[in-house]
Amino acid sequence: MEFSLFYFSGDGLKTQENKYNLLIESAKFADQNGFSALWTPERHFHPFGGLYPNPSLTSAALAMITERIQLRSGSIVMPLHNPARVAEEWSVVDNLSNGRVALAFASGWTLDDFVLSSEIHANRKESMWSGIQTVHKLWEGEQVELKDATGNTFKVRTFPRPIQRKLPTWIVCQSNATFIEAGKIGANILTSLLGGTIEEVAPQISLYRESLAKYGHDPKAGKVAMMIHTFVGEDFNTVKEQAREPFCNYLKTHIDLLENLAKNAGMKVNLEKFTEADINSLLRFAYEGWLKGRTLIGSKTTCMQMIERLKQVGVDEVACLIDFNPNCDAVMASLPYLKDLKDLCSLNQEKLVSLS
């Protein structure tokens, strides 16, 4: 099991210095302690996640303060961008990082975001797949046809040339169709438990492995990364209380997550009719629910149990979302425990290999 750090929750509303302190300091820690990657997202027009409008910018900054760790978009909303621009920007980052770029692509879902695009929201899936194909061609030095302002086509090749000849590619997947299509092109998978449980994601991972094999790819070579909220400490009950308020505040910004959790528990709720007391009660319920098999919030012992469950369904990497807690000092203090968990997983794997 590999471990990476994932960022998504930074508050872009506040006017203050050192907004990116957690990103920078945790990135340095991850680079120095054997983590596999850093994921920064693309978020628009909302204070939640508002620190991250462009992953190529954040990755360029991270390239200058790290030496070994892979720098990944988490993710690029492909229909919002010209593929040539994506190839150009990320080739710069690949050069700055000496070949440490990997890109995760998504089709997008928020209707408002598409004011940035000429693509029709309804066609975003098709636009994503065709855009990825064009980015790959440009990355590998091929010419592609683009249209000028008059509608005439001409051929272009993008610069600078990247360090890596092949672009490591991930697809953000939630639906069965996307898992299958990702396997068809031989891409890796980035998924989450935001919309379901491990038991619900397991068949989708199987579909992905089957698709890899069907289309001539090694089914064991494709990687599945699970984005998961993470805060690890010495004692489960202590960590549970430390994370309670920041996680509940996080859930308040994602009301749809609350509704999904209630639905999965067989409850019919209409949050528009809820009072503040009702919301707080639901938050307490939701937090307890998320602790049961949907997070890495806890001690090394309890989190190892979650890791084992993820391994059993074919997950290769945990993408640890750490910035749901805005307290930089608290998160940084928890990272050595996360490192110990990572090292324990590596040690257990080495023992299994030696026994075999």
Side-chain angles (χ1 to χ4, degrees):
M1 184 67 73
E2 295 184 5
F3 286 70
S4 54
L5 297 187
F6 198 101
Y7 306 85
F8 192 84
S9 308
D11 187 353
L13 184 63
K14 298 176 182 177
T15 301
Q16 64 185 56
E17 295 181 352
N18 301 318
K19 285 190 180 75
Y20 294 94
N21 195 43
L22 175 57
L23 173 67
I24 291 169
E25 294 305 319
S26 60
K28 291 177 182 177
F29 179 93
D31 187 53
Q32 296 164 5
N33 288 282
F35 286 74
S36 60
L38 302 166
W39 307 79
T40 53
E42 177 180 350
R43 292 280 288 163
H44 300 291
F45 313 133
H46 198 289
F48 183 79
L51 291 182
Y52 307 110
N54 187 338
S56 67
L57 282 176
T58 47
S59 292
L62 295 175
M64 307 313 295
I65 61 169
T66 59
E67 297 179 356
R68 295 169 288 275
I69 198 164
Q70 194 171 59
L71 306 175
R72 299 178 187 161
S73 62
S75 55
I76 295 170
V77 183
M78 190 65 241
L80 303 185
H81 304 283
N82 186 305
R85 192 65 172 160
V86 172
E88 287 177 339
E89 290 183 2
W90 283 95
S91 181
V92 171
V93 182
D94 203 51
N95 279 275
L96 290 172
S97 64
N98 197 27
R100 291 187 281 128
V101 156
L103 301 188
F105 294 94
S107 61
W109 60 92
T110 305
L111 189 62
D112 291 349
D113 289 355
F114 279 75
V115 300
L116 299 175
S117 171
S118 60
E119 299 290 343
I120 299 174
H121 185 263
N123 296 332
R124 63 192 185 279
K125 290 283 188 183
E126 295 84 353
S127 177
M128 178 186 74
W129 295 117
S130 64
I132 292 171
Q133 186 178 42
T134 302
V135 170
H136 282 171
K137 289 179 179 179
L138 291 168
W139 191 272
E140 294 167 20
E142 294 184 37
Q143 287 185 323
V144 301
E145 286 191 348
L146 298 178
K147 290 184 178 180
D148 63 19
T150 65
N152 295 321
T153 60
F154 67 109
K155 291 185 177 181
V156 301
R157 182 180 287 117
T158 55
F159 302 98
R161 301 301 310 132
I163 300 295
Q164 299 177 95
R165 295 184 62 184
K166 294 285 186 179
L167 176 63
T169 300
W170 301 71
I171 306 297
V172 177
C173 293
Q174 294 294 335
S175 69
N176 289 352
T178 312
F179 275 88
I180 293 169
E181 194 67 23
K184 182 177 180 179
I185 68 171
N188 301 309
I189 294 290
L190 172 62
T191 189
S192 72
L193 298 177
L194 294 179
T197 64
I198 291 178
E199 290 73 23
E200 290 169 329
V201 175
Q204 295 178 313
I205 295 175
S206 296
L207 286 174
Y208 166 64
R209 302 289 183 197
E210 292 167 6
S211 181
L212 284 169
K214 179 179 178 180
Y215 291 100
H217 308 288
D218 182 355
K220 295 182 180 179
K223 288 186 176 181
V224 175
M226 180 70 73
M227 187 275 286
I228 191 163
H229 301 83
T230 301
F231 190 79
V232 185
E234 187 67 36
D235 173 73
F236 173 78
N237 289 323
T238 301
V239 172
K240 177 181 176 180
E241 293 309 311
Q242 285 180 321
R244 181 184 298 277
E245 182 178 354
F247 195 83
C248 286
N249 289 337
Y250 162 81
L251 286 177
K252 282 183 180 179
T253 67
H254 281 281
I255 294 298
D256 56 324
L257 297 184
L258 286 175
E259 291 178 335
N260 286 337
L261 192 66
K263 182 180 178 181
N264 291 337
M267 299 169 57
K268 293 183 179 180
V269 297
N270 183 353
L271 295 185
E272 292 181 358
K273 297 181 179 180
F274 272 38
T275 65
E276 185 175 352
D278 292 332
I279 291 288
N280 289 334
S281 178
L282 184 56
L283 284 169
R284 289 192 295 270
F285 161 78
Y287 183 57
E288 296 294 333
W290 275 74
L291 288 178
K292 297 175 182 177
R294 297 180 76 171
T295 72
L296 287 179
I297 296 175
S299 67
K300 287 178 286 186
T301 301
T302 62
C303 289
M304 180 58 79
Q305 295 169 1
M306 182 64 177
I307 294 294
E308 291 301 323
R309 291 181 64 193
L310 292 169
K311 288 172 62 176
Q312 288 172 8
V313 300
V315 173
D316 306 290
E317 177 182 314
V318 284
C320 301
L321 194 160
I322 60 172
D323 64 339
F324 73 88
N325 187 341
N327 186 326
C328 181
D329 291 341
V331 174
M332 291 303 300
S334 77
L335 289 183
Y337 294 100
L338 181 59
K339 174 189 177 296
D340 290 345
L341 179 65
K342 174 183 69 68
D343 293 345
L344 183 60
C345 288
S346 297
L347 182 61
N348 288 347
Q349 181 62 32
E350 289 174 3
K351 288 181 179 178
L352 287 173
V353 171
S354 64
L355 289 173
S356 63

